[in-house]
Amino acid sequence: MKEKGLPAKTVLKEIESRLNKDFTFNSGKVLGSMCTNPHDLAKEVYARFLEKNLGDPGLFPATAQLEEEVIQMLGMLLSNPKATGNIVTGGTEANVLALWAFKNANTKNGGEIIVPVSAHCSFDKAASLLGFRIIRVGLNGKFQVDIEAVREAINHKTVALVGIAGTTSLGVVDPIRELSDIALEHNLLLHVDAAFGGFVLPFLKEIGYEAPEFDFRLSGVSSITIDPHKMGLAPIPAGGILFRNSDLRKFITWKVPYLAGGEIEQATFVGTRSGASVIAVWALLNHLGREGYRRIVKRCMRLTWKLTEGIKQIYGLDVMTEPVTNVVGIKSDIFNIKLIAEKLRKLGWAVALFPRHIRIVLMPHINEKHVESFLKDLRNIVRELKG
Ligand SMILES: Cc1ncc(COP(=O)(O)O)c(C=O)c1O
C-alpha cells in the first residue's frame, strides 16, 4: 500500500484497464460457465443494500424477513413451502451444510456417504472437513448414478446418499425417485444437489420437455441445494440450502450471543454474510416469477437443441448424451477432444474440458448468433484436423 492514496478517478481508470483482460459474458465467448450476467434489477438492488449483514439479523430484521420469504418461495418451487434453510455463498457451502447436518444427526461413529462419480468436488471437501468417507459409485449409459451400484455400496456404515439434479459435467439428473425409495427403505438421509438444475427442472414440463422428478415431492429427499447465482440470474454470492423441515437444520444451529442486534441462532457456516445477495434474490423471484424464469429456460433449451443438432452434423463429432437441461457434452471417437478444446480456446472460446468431452452450458448470455459462430469455428477446426 502506498503512503498517499490516489484520486478515485485514477484508481477507477487503472481498474478498468487492468480488468480488460477478463472475459465478459456479453462477448458471448463464455460457453463453459454455469454463471452469467446478473439480471439488471438484481444488480441495482445488490448495489443499494451492500451494508446489510445477515450475520447480525437483530440489526436487520426486515432483511431477515426477506430471507425467510426467499426460502419459502424456493421451497414452493421445490414442492415444499415448509422447507427451512438459508441463502449461502454457493453450491459448495450448501452441500457442506447438508452433510454437516447429516454428520451431527448421525449416531454412528464416522460413516460413509454414497455419492455418484459425477458429483461435484464440493462433496470431497465436505467429507474431508467432516470426517466422512465418500464412496463413489459408477454411472449407467445415460450418465446417471447406477442404482444397482448404490444398493451394493450400502452397508452398516452408510449414513446418507447423494443424488445430482443437473450434473456438473453433463447437466443430467440421477434417478432421484429410486434413490428416495432406497433412502426410505434403509433409513438413510438423501441430499439432492440441484445447484444447477434447481432453476431449470421445475420449468421443463411446462415448456414441453421431459422433466425428471427430483424435489421434496419425493418423501425420501432430506435436503436440496439450489443456487440462485447459476440459472437464477442472481449476483454472486448466492447459493441455497433447503432442508425438508427444521429437524435436520437444528443440528447445525448455533447460538451467537455477542451481537449488536442481540443473541441469535445461526445455521450457516459463515458469520457475517451478505444481506444484499438475499435482497437481490427476493427481487428476482418477485420480478420474474415462474413466468419469467420459464421464458429464460425456454430460450436456453432452444439454443441447447440448436447446438446439439449442429454438432451432430459435423463429421466426427457427437454429443455425449441427449441434453436434459441446458448443458451439452461434445465428444469425438475420431479426433482428440483435448486438441479441439485447445484450438477453440485459441479462438477465444472459454469452454470447459472434461476427460472425454467439452462441456457447453447454454446460459442466458448466449444467443443464436453466438451458437452459429461457435459451430462455424468448430466445423473449421474439424476440417483442418481432417487435413
Ligand atoms: C452440481 C453442482 N453442485 C455444486 C457446485 C458448486 O457450486 P459453487 O461453485 O457455487 O460453490 C457446482 C458448480 O458448478 C455444481 O455444478
Side-chain angles (χ1 to χ4, degrees):
M1 204 193 319
K2 295 180 179 97
E3 176 57 30
K4 195 165 159 29
L6 299 166
K9 248 189 179 170
T10 315
V11 173
L12 282 174
K13 224 171 141 198
E14 169 82 5
I15 287 173
E16 261 169 35
S17 97
R18 298 280 290 273
L19 297 192
N20 256 340
K21 295 192 189 84
D22 285 354
F23 276 94
T24 63
F25 291 115
N26 285 342
S27 68
K29 290 285 194 174
V30 182
L31 293 181
S33 172
M34 285 184 166
C35 287
T36 190
N37 275 328
H39 188 283
D40 282 347
L41 174 66
K43 283 198 275 195
E44 187 187 328
V45 166
Y46 187 87
R48 267 201 9 217
F49 300 110
L50 285 174
E51 80 287 3
K52 307 284 189 189
N53 170 20
L54 279 174
D56 196 347
L59 289 185
F60 304 100
T63 307
Q65 173 62 31
L66 294 193
E67 184 175 33
E68 276 188 26
E69 292 178 23
V70 163
I71 296 303
Q72 200 189 13
M73 285 188 271
L74 292 180
M76 280 166 79
L77 188 65
L78 302 174
S79 313
N80 178 14
K82 294 204 174 99
T84 59
N86 286 100
I87 293 302
V88 296
T89 53
T92 298
E93 188 187 349
N95 288 338
V96 170
L97 286 173
L99 266 57
W100 193 16
F102 291 2
K103 182 191 178 222
N104 292 350
N106 175 31
T107 48
K108 297 168 196 167
N109 197 10
E112 295 180 354
I113 309 276
I114 299 175
V115 164
V117 291
S118 54
H120 187 259
C121 55
S122 47
F123 291 101
D124 296 309
K125 293 183 186 175
S128 162
L129 279 168
L130 301 166
F132 278 132
R133 194 162 157 241
I134 288 281
I135 308 297
R136 291 245 176 198
V137 296
L139 308 180
N140 64 22
K142 291 178 173 170
F143 303 96
Q144 304 163 303
V145 72
D146 177 343
I147 288 296
E148 272 322 299
V150 172
R151 284 193 182 280
E152 278 166 27
I154 293 174
N155 63 44
H156 66 282
K157 288 180 260 169
T158 309
V159 173
L161 312 176
V162 169
I164 318 296
T167 57
T168 307
S169 56
L170 289 168
V172 299
V173 180
D174 286 328
I176 308 292
R177 176 173 282 281
E178 276 93 332
L179 289 177
S180 167
D181 291 346
I182 296 174
L184 293 173
E185 187 186 322
H186 292 268
N187 199 19
L188 300 170
L189 296 161
L190 169 60
H191 177 65
V192 174
D193 181 357
F196 180 73
F199 273 94
V200 180
L201 298 166
F203 306 106
L204 288 181
K205 198 169 170 194
E206 296 159 9
I207 55 173
Y209 295 96
E210 221 173 281
E213 300 173 286
F214 76 104
D215 67 13
F216 287 115
R217 225 170 307 186
L218 303 169
S219 48
V221 173
S222 322
S223 52
I224 302 182
T225 290
I226 171 171
D227 281 0
H229 73 195
K230 294 188 170 69
M231 280 296 287
L233 267 60
I236 298 164
I241 176 66
L242 268 73
F243 293 97
R244 177 173 288 278
N245 50 43
S246 55
D247 291 357
L248 266 172
R249 191 161 168 258
K250 72 173 188 279
F251 287 102
I252 51 166
T253 299
W254 308 90
K255 277 198 185 344
V256 186
Y258 69 88
L259 299 166
E263 180 172 304
I264 58 151
E265 291 197 331
Q266 194 173 68
T268 52
F269 190 66
V270 297
T272 300
R273 64 191 179 94
S274 168
S277 288
V278 169
I279 302 167
V281 176
W282 189 93
L284 284 178
L285 297 180
N286 280 289
H287 175 62
L288 290 171
R290 284 191 68 94
E291 189 259 333
Y293 279 114
R294 194 185 307 127
R295 197 169 0 98
I296 291 161
V297 172
K298 189 173 178 183
R299 184 175 166 278
C300 292
M301 288 303 291
R302 186 168 45 79
L303 292 177
T304 301
W305 279 98
K306 182 183 171 82
L307 178 68
T308 300
E309 299 306 334
I311 286 161
K312 286 180 178 176
Q313 280 166 24
I314 301 177
Y315 171 83
L317 298 189
D318 203 351
V319 292
M320 290 286 279
T321 184
E322 302 287 285
V324 176
T325 55
N326 45 326
V327 182
V328 179
I330 308 173
K331 68 167 185 178
S332 177
D333 293 334
I334 298 174
F335 307 113
N336 178 338
I337 204 70
K338 194 168 164 222
L339 186 62
I340 295 180
E342 274 166 22
K343 286 182 182 291
L344 285 168
R345 282 181 182 156
K346 277 209 181 107
L347 293 171
W349 296 104
V351 293
L353 183 62
F354 284 77
R356 287 181 52 213
H357 70 276
I358 292 169
R359 178 190 81 175
I360 306 297
V361 192
L362 283 299
M363 293 299 288
H365 59 267
I366 305 298
N367 64 32
E368 211 101 8
K369 286 220 162 63
H370 301 140
V371 172
E372 281 160 15
S373 153
F374 176 71
L375 283 168
K376 190 168 158 228
D377 281 353
L378 208 46
R379 271 192 296 271
N380 286 339
I381 290 171
V382 164
R383 206 168 293 142
E384 186 193 316
L385 288 174
K386 255 169 77 184

